[in-house]
Amino acid sequence: MSFDPSLLHNNGHTAFANGTGVGIRETGVVEKLLTSYGFIQCSERQARLFFHCSQYNGNLQDLKIGDDVEFEVSLDKRTGKPIAVKLVKIKPEVLPEERISGQVGPDMHASPITKLHGYIHPVVSAIPTHLDGKSAPGQVPTGSVCYERNGVSVFYLTYTPDDVERNMHLDTGDRVSFYMETNKHPPALYSDCSTGAVSARNIVLVKKKQMRCQGVVCATKEAFGFIERGDVVKEIFFHYSEFKGDLEALQAGDDVEFSIKERNGKEVATDVRLLPQGTVIFEDISIEHFEGTVAKVIPKVPSKNQNDPLPGRIGARINFSEKELPFGEKDTKSKVTLLDGDHVRFNISVDRRDKLERATNIEILPDTFQFTKESREMGVIAAMRDGFGFIKCVDRDARMFFHFSEVLEESPLHISDEVEFTVVPVSRLERSLAKDMLSAQRNHAVRIKKLPKGTVSFHVQSEQRFIGQVDREATPASAAANKNVSPSKAKEKDAEEGVIAYEDCGVKLTVPYYIKDLEGAALPQLGDKVEFSISEVKRTGLQSAVSIKILNRTGNSKRLLGFVATLKDNFGFIETANHDQEIFFHYSEMCGDVDNLELGDTVEYTLSKGKGNKVSAEKVTKVAPVNGIGEDVGTTVLLGKVTRPLRSVDPSQTEYQGLIEVTEEGASKGQSYPFGIVSMASKADCLQKGELVKFQLCTVVHTSQKMACHIVPQRRALVESVKDQFGFITYEVGESKKLFFHVKEVQDGLELQTGDEVEFSVILNQRTGKCSACNVRRVSEGPKPVATPRPERLVNRLKSITLDDASAPRLVIVRQPRGPDNSKGFSIERKARQPGVID
């Protein structure tokens, strides 16, 4: 049985916190003995233990006060206090008069000699070095050594500094040899040891315990790494070959233990082994929080001469004295920029190795802006990306870039949140070191604080209300640019402003207005009397009318007529009565069953402001069909070519209307006419650019503009080829010479053949941007394919060739083929065949 000192508890006697351990026994002296119990004074430690006489193994009549006994320590089940059990009386040992030396064998069994080998008892066994040989009056500093007897019991013997030969300093775990003898020190000098107990004397160091150090892996390279030592402020090199464990699992931050050896004149770590996480502790952090002021911030870009790992400084009053504590980048709770003069809260960390104090867990206090006197600006979150965003500033034209790490609160920001921030310039060096172009902007927003809703205002609105008259109508954003831009493409800045004329103190003035600033869904018309307030932009001083209310107008909003131009999954577009633009509507605004709505249906609707102040249709109702092209329809049928399709066919274009150019000879050749959804003879047909059509002309009632109507596409073409499940039609659409179709689109389930003449419709795949044919109908069948006979010259040639003809073409095998079963070569024998005859 081998003895491992590391298993012992720090009380110096057992491996368990309660002072007990299997097979570990102590010695002591009977100090008091009554009828049924007594007390023992321990020889190896300062303890007085109770024992019951039933625990004595022997004749109780032979036990007397002062007798040496051996016992185990247990806990009283009732009181929980340690007591002595399994008592055995020790017979007085007669020590030899002359010195006998020897050595314990490898199995650690004690031989009948008195010179023994042992270990210094862990933790408390070595004499405390801080006593320096001194102790309190009446006490002598002691340690203990341990040894095994009979391979099962471990005993401890005390010793004093005088018992160590040559004043050798002993450490916990050192291998020693010693003599055993009865303690004969006078009570006056060694009152704690004058019990007649056996102790260790003439202790000689046999082998020094190899010291194991602890640390944390701070860096890992391809074949080596570095460990930050836990005993001194220093890093030590180690090679991966010295790591005992799974190298793949080793990473920076792992706790390890290691031995130190010297190689090539330098210390290196050897026998590196993992420790449980949290074993190595470099510092003690105070529970108490302190408040202070930032005296020096950490520079964003360290200088070449910057060697201080803790360049920051915080001044604070601690224990009635002023202190300046250093701090580093990792000592702040967040990455929010610190400024000189910041009021902060922090803990104090004391390094166990060199007792260096520093500030850590630094966080900015809410009242810091009163100390720094920094210039704070306000704005609204305008955009957010992965890790950064932009703020629309109240006092600046440009949007301000910011990192999420600069947000003071832990709660996440959202678009349209109102915030307060500080603007700091970014140096050239910082911009050159920036990882992306956005971070390299000249100014950044830092120290961002979320504000309550309604705090930030970009405008100053007058309390006075004015009365005026609409001098020019405003155009919705959806009709501003080119008069045909849809709400999804238009921007607020593209909306055409209206003008209101009014009087103030007898002076005639005008002020612009926008549809987004109207109250209610009704749009003001030319000459309408309105009531409004005036808003002034803080940044530019520009004025505009807001909170516009139409006076002397009935409560019912004006209902408009239109025609369904596009139907998507959950929204659509309405062609206006003038056929020159489209209005967005959501299916939730449809009064009635959306499934009954079809392209070209006549609807009635009201204009309103939707999300983002975009004009859209609401209260959409399907009504009885109305002749959208008017009564003035020309009788002449013209031939033309589509030069621009409707926007529903090509969403990439900005104009809604399509254009048809006249191609037939005559006075109107080359002229172009617009068309809308109502112009189509079949509303479901999608005209593509370049298609030939027949059409008539009509006059739009409201604008007196000529427009194409009754448009019929002229689509007939031949099937070029048919594959398994698809085919191609010889028809030019855009830049493509052939038009794809799927066999499912062929009507009546017919099987088309190459050369068949077909009629079809053309659709555009919005995802791929490619056209294909649908509703394919066969008009006439093409010529039947006839098997072409082999040319006579080839037949004659084959008849004249024999297998023995040396001039005949021959097959030369360059590489044998490999079959599925890995067999090589041709498995079927080649046979002679009759020329010109196919089996």
Side-chain angles (χ1 to χ4, degrees):
M1 174 180 178
S2 61
F3 173 68
D4 186 357
S6 63
L7 294 176
L8 299 177
H9 188 261
N10 60 5
N11 61 12
H13 302 279
T14 71
F16 301 92
N18 59 11
T20 64
V22 179
I24 299 179
R25 299 177 63 81
E26 296 187 33
T27 58
V29 178
V30 178
E31 182 187 68
K32 187 174 183 180
L33 183 63
L34 300 178
T35 304
S36 58
Y37 66 91
F39 290 91
I40 297 173
Q41 178 67 45
C42 298
S43 299
E44 293 84 6
R45 58 190 174 110
Q46 291 292 329
R48 186 170 180 262
L49 300 178
F50 168 89
F51 74 92
H52 196 272
C53 290
S54 61
Q55 293 293 325
Y56 177 68
N57 185 12
N59 188 355
L60 192 61
Q61 301 297 328
D62 296 336
L63 188 64
K64 298 181 179 56
I65 295 176
D67 284 348
D68 293 334
V69 291
E70 184 182 86
F71 57 90
E72 292 182 11
V73 180
S74 181
L75 293 178
D76 192 312
K77 295 182 179 179
R78 183 174 60 84
T79 64
K81 295 182 179 180
I83 60 175
V85 297
K86 299 181 181 180
L87 275 70
V88 177
K89 184 176 180 182
I90 301 175
K91 296 180 181 180
E93 182 176 6
V94 180
L95 300 179
E97 296 180 0
E98 57 184 52
R99 182 182 179 92
I100 301 176
S101 62
Q103 186 170 350
V104 176
D107 57 355
M108 288 294 292
H109 284 262
S111 55
I113 57 179
T114 56
K115 184 172 182 180
L116 301 175
H117 290 280
Y119 289 100
I120 295 296
H121 190 286
V123 184
V124 297
S125 60
I127 298 174
T129 56
H130 67 276
L131 295 176
D132 296 329
K134 300 178 182 179
S135 62
Q139 290 186 347
V140 173
T142 62
S144 63
V145 295
C146 58
Y147 67 97
E148 284 187 358
R149 175 181 294 175
N150 300 326
V152 292
S153 300
V154 178
F155 292 91
Y156 302 90
L157 303 177
T158 59
Y159 75 96
T160 65
D162 295 336
D163 297 322
V164 181
E165 293 190 358
R166 290 176 287 183
N167 294 324
M168 180 70 69
H169 174 72
L170 300 178
D171 293 315
T172 300
D174 285 348
R175 183 81 172 177
V176 295
S177 65
F178 54 89
Y179 285 97
M180 294 173 55
E181 67 176 38
T182 304
N183 188 350
K184 297 179 181 179
H185 295 293
L189 295 177
Y190 300 99
S191 59
D192 61 326
C193 300
S194 58
T195 60
V198 176
S199 60
R201 299 290 181 262
N202 303 106
I203 300 174
V204 177
L205 177 65
V206 175
K207 184 180 180 181
K208 199 71 176 174
K209 178 187 176 183
Q210 185 179 10
M211 297 299 294
R212 294 284 287 172
C213 298
Q214 294 181 342
V216 175
V217 177
C218 58
T220 56
K221 306 298 181 181
E222 291 184 1
F224 60 91
F226 292 91
I227 300 171
E228 184 176 359
R229 293 174 59 173
D231 53 345
V232 292
V233 184
K234 187 178 180 181
E235 292 181 3
I236 188 170
F237 168 92
F238 76 99
H239 195 272
Y240 286 168
S241 60
E242 293 291 344
F243 180 70
K244 311 301 181 185
D246 183 8
L247 191 59
E248 297 294 331
L250 184 66
Q251 58 185 355
D254 285 344
D255 292 354
V256 292
E257 67 171 359
F258 55 93
S259 300
I260 298 177
K261 290 185 179 180
E262 187 171 317
R263 291 177 181 171
N264 299 327
K266 294 183 179 180
E267 288 185 338
V268 297
T270 61
D271 191 20
V272 182
R273 300 176 184 270
L274 277 177
L275 292 174
Q277 203 67 20
T279 302
V280 181
I281 301 176
F282 291 116
E283 57 193 14
D284 297 310
I285 300 177
S286 66
I287 301 176
E288 182 183 359
H289 284 86
F290 301 90
E291 294 185 6
T293 304
V294 176
K296 180 183 177 183
V297 297
I298 301 174
K300 290 284 185 181
V301 181
S303 62
K304 295 182 179 179
N305 300 326
Q306 176 68 43
N307 295 321
D308 189 358
L310 304 174
R313 296 292 183 270
I314 292 178
R317 187 172 181 82
I318 300 173
N319 296 331
F320 306 103
S321 63
E322 296 293 336
K323 275 191 175 183
E324 192 173 74
L325 299 172
F327 68 93
E329 291 184 355
K330 297 181 180 179
D331 291 318
T332 55
K333 274 192 170 182
S334 66
K335 294 188 178 297
V336 176
T337 300
L338 287 177
L339 298 179
D340 289 338
D342 266 337
H343 190 204
V344 294
R345 180 170 56 194
F346 59 92
N347 299 102
I348 295 180
S349 170
V350 180
D351 197 307
R352 292 182 175 184
R353 299 166 294 181
D354 59 0
K355 307 305 178 185
L356 174 67
E357 292 184 343
R358 78 174 197 279
T360 189
N361 297 333
I362 303 168
E363 55 182 334
I364 300 175
L365 292 175
D367 61 350
T368 186
F369 305 113
Q370 302 174 8
F371 291 81
T372 58
K373 305 297 182 182
E374 61 195 279
S375 177
R376 301 284 284 172
E377 299 186 20
M378 290 191 292
V380 174
I381 303 297
M384 298 179 70
R385 300 289 186 270
D386 186 13
F388 64 92
F390 293 90
I391 300 174
K392 182 181 178 182
C393 306
V394 172
D395 302 320
R396 297 173 185 260
D397 291 330
R399 292 186 176 186
M400 192 62 60
F401 173 87
F402 73 95
H403 274 287
F404 287 174
S405 60
E406 289 291 347
V407 181
L408 290 171
E409 292 85 358
E410 293 183 358
S411 58
L413 289 179
H414 302 88
I415 292 178
S416 78
D417 279 349
E418 300 176 13
V419 293
E420 182 184 64
F421 55 93
T422 302
V423 177
V424 295
V426 181
S427 66
R428 286 187 178 181
L429 183 55
E430 289 180 82
R431 290 201 298 272
S432 65
L433 296 176
K435 295 181 179 179
D436 50 66
M437 293 299 295
L438 295 173
S439 300
Q441 294 187 359
R442 293 185 179 277
N443 293 325
H444 283 188
V446 298
R447 302 156 67 84
I448 300 167
K449 180 181 179 182
K450 191 174 180 180
L451 299 176
K453 285 288 185 184
T455 305
V456 178
S457 175
F458 292 88
H459 306 82
V460 178
Q461 185 170 328
S462 65
E463 297 181 0
Q464 180 183 356
R465 297 285 288 177
F466 299 89
I467 304 294
Q469 189 175 23
V470 176
D471 196 40
R472 188 177 72 209
E473 294 182 17
T475 304
S478 60
N482 299 321
K483 305 294 183 183
N484 294 304
V485 181
S486 74
S488 62
K489 295 292 183 182
K491 297 182 180 179
E492 181 181 323
K493 65 180 182 180
D494 295 329
E496 185 177 340
E497 64 184 25
V499 177
I500 297 175
Y502 70 102
E503 286 190 6
D504 185 17
C505 299
V507 180
K508 292 184 178 181
L509 302 170
T510 60
V511 64
Y513 79 95
Y514 299 91
I515 289 180
K516 65 182 180 65
D517 296 317
L518 297 175
E519 289 185 355
L523 295 176
Q525 300 175 357
L526 188 66
D528 279 348
K529 190 175 182 181
V530 294
E531 183 184 38
F532 60 94
S533 299
I534 294 180
S535 174
E536 182 176 311
V537 181
K538 291 181 178 179
R539 187 176 67 252
T540 61
L542 295 177
Q543 293 183 340
S544 63
V546 295
S547 304
I548 304 168
K549 184 179 181 181
I550 302 175
L551 303 178
N552 302 327
R553 175 77 71 84
T554 58
N556 295 329
S557 301
K558 184 178 179 180
R559 300 286 287 174
L560 304 174
L561 282 178
F563 308 92
V564 177
T566 307
L567 293 174
K568 301 289 186 181
D569 289 339
N570 51 17
F571 65 92
F573 289 90
I574 299 173
E575 183 180 292
T576 61
N578 293 338
H579 313 292
D580 58 352
Q581 58 179 299
E582 59 182 352
I583 304 295
F584 170 88
F585 77 98
H586 195 272
Y587 287 171
S588 60
E589 294 292 341
M590 180 65 191
C591 301
D593 190 359
V594 178
D595 294 334
N596 295 330
L597 206 60
E598 296 180 356
L599 293 176
D601 282 350
T602 306
V603 293
E604 193 176 58
Y605 63 95
T606 302
L607 289 178
S608 68
K609 292 183 294 183
K611 293 182 179 179
N613 291 321
K614 308 297 184 183
V615 174
S616 61
E618 67 176 11
K619 300 178 182 177
V620 180
T621 307
K622 184 177 179 180
V623 297
V626 175
N627 186 5
I629 59 177
E631 300 295 337
D632 184 17
V633 179
T635 57
T636 305
V637 178
L638 303 174
L639 293 177
K641 182 179 180 181
V642 178
T643 58
R644 186 178 71 199
L646 291 175
R647 188 178 180 278
S648 58
V649 177
D650 185 7
S652 62
Q653 67 185 36
T654 56
E655 300 83 359
Y656 165 70
Q657 288 180 314
L659 286 178
I660 296 177
E661 180 183 342
V662 179
T663 57
E664 68 176 336
E665 297 294 334
S668 58
K669 181 179 181 181
Q671 292 186 8
S672 296
Y673 297 97
F675 70 93
I677 190 67
V678 297
S679 304
M680 303 296 299
S682 174
K683 306 299 187 291
D685 209 344
C686 298
L687 290 180
Q688 303 292 327
K689 183 178 179 180
E691 288 194 286
L692 299 178
V693 294
K694 288 183 179 181
F695 66 97
Q696 295 170 273
L697 293 177
C698 67
T699 304
V700 180
V701 177
H702 301 289
T703 62
S704 300
Q705 182 186 23
K706 289 290 184 180
M707 185 177 73
C709 63
H710 298 162
I711 303 171
V712 178
Q714 302 297 299
R715 297 194 191 104
R716 280 201 179 188
L718 299 178
V719 177
E720 182 188 72
S721 61
V722 179
K723 307 296 182 182
D724 183 22
Q725 294 293 322
F726 61 92
F728 290 93
I729 300 173
T730 307
Y731 189 81
E732 182 177 351
V733 178
E735 298 179 356
S736 177
K737 303 295 184 181
K738 296 185 294 184
L739 187 64
F740 171 90
F741 73 93
H742 197 277
V743 294
K744 292 182 180 180
E745 296 292 340
V746 180
Q747 295 182 1
D748 301 327
L750 298 177
E751 291 186 7
L752 297 180
Q753 302 292 332
T754 301
D756 288 349
E757 187 178 14
V758 293
E759 289 182 346
F760 52 90
S761 299
V762 178
I763 60 173
L764 176 68
N765 189 315
Q766 301 291 346
R767 183 175 62 85
T768 63
K770 295 181 179 180
C771 295
S772 61
C774 65
N775 300 325
V776 181
R777 184 176 67 88
R778 186 168 64 186
V779 177
S780 62
E781 294 187 23
K784 295 294 182 180
V786 179
T788 305
R790 288 189 172 185
E792 188 66 25
R793 58 178 181 82
L794 179 58
V795 174
N796 295 333
R797 172 64 173 163
L798 292 174
K799 288 181 178 180
S800 63
I801 295 176
T802 64
L803 295 178
D804 299 330
D805 189 355
S807 63
R810 293 183 177 276
L811 176 67
V812 179
I813 299 176
V814 178
R815 183 181 62 209
Q816 290 284 4
R818 185 187 296 272
D821 57 350
N822 287 328
S823 61
K824 292 184 178 181
F826 294 103
S827 60
I828 301 177
E829 183 181 356
R830 187 174 182 180
K831 298 179 180 179
R833 301 182 183 276
Q834 185 178 357
V837 179
I838 301 176
D839 293 339

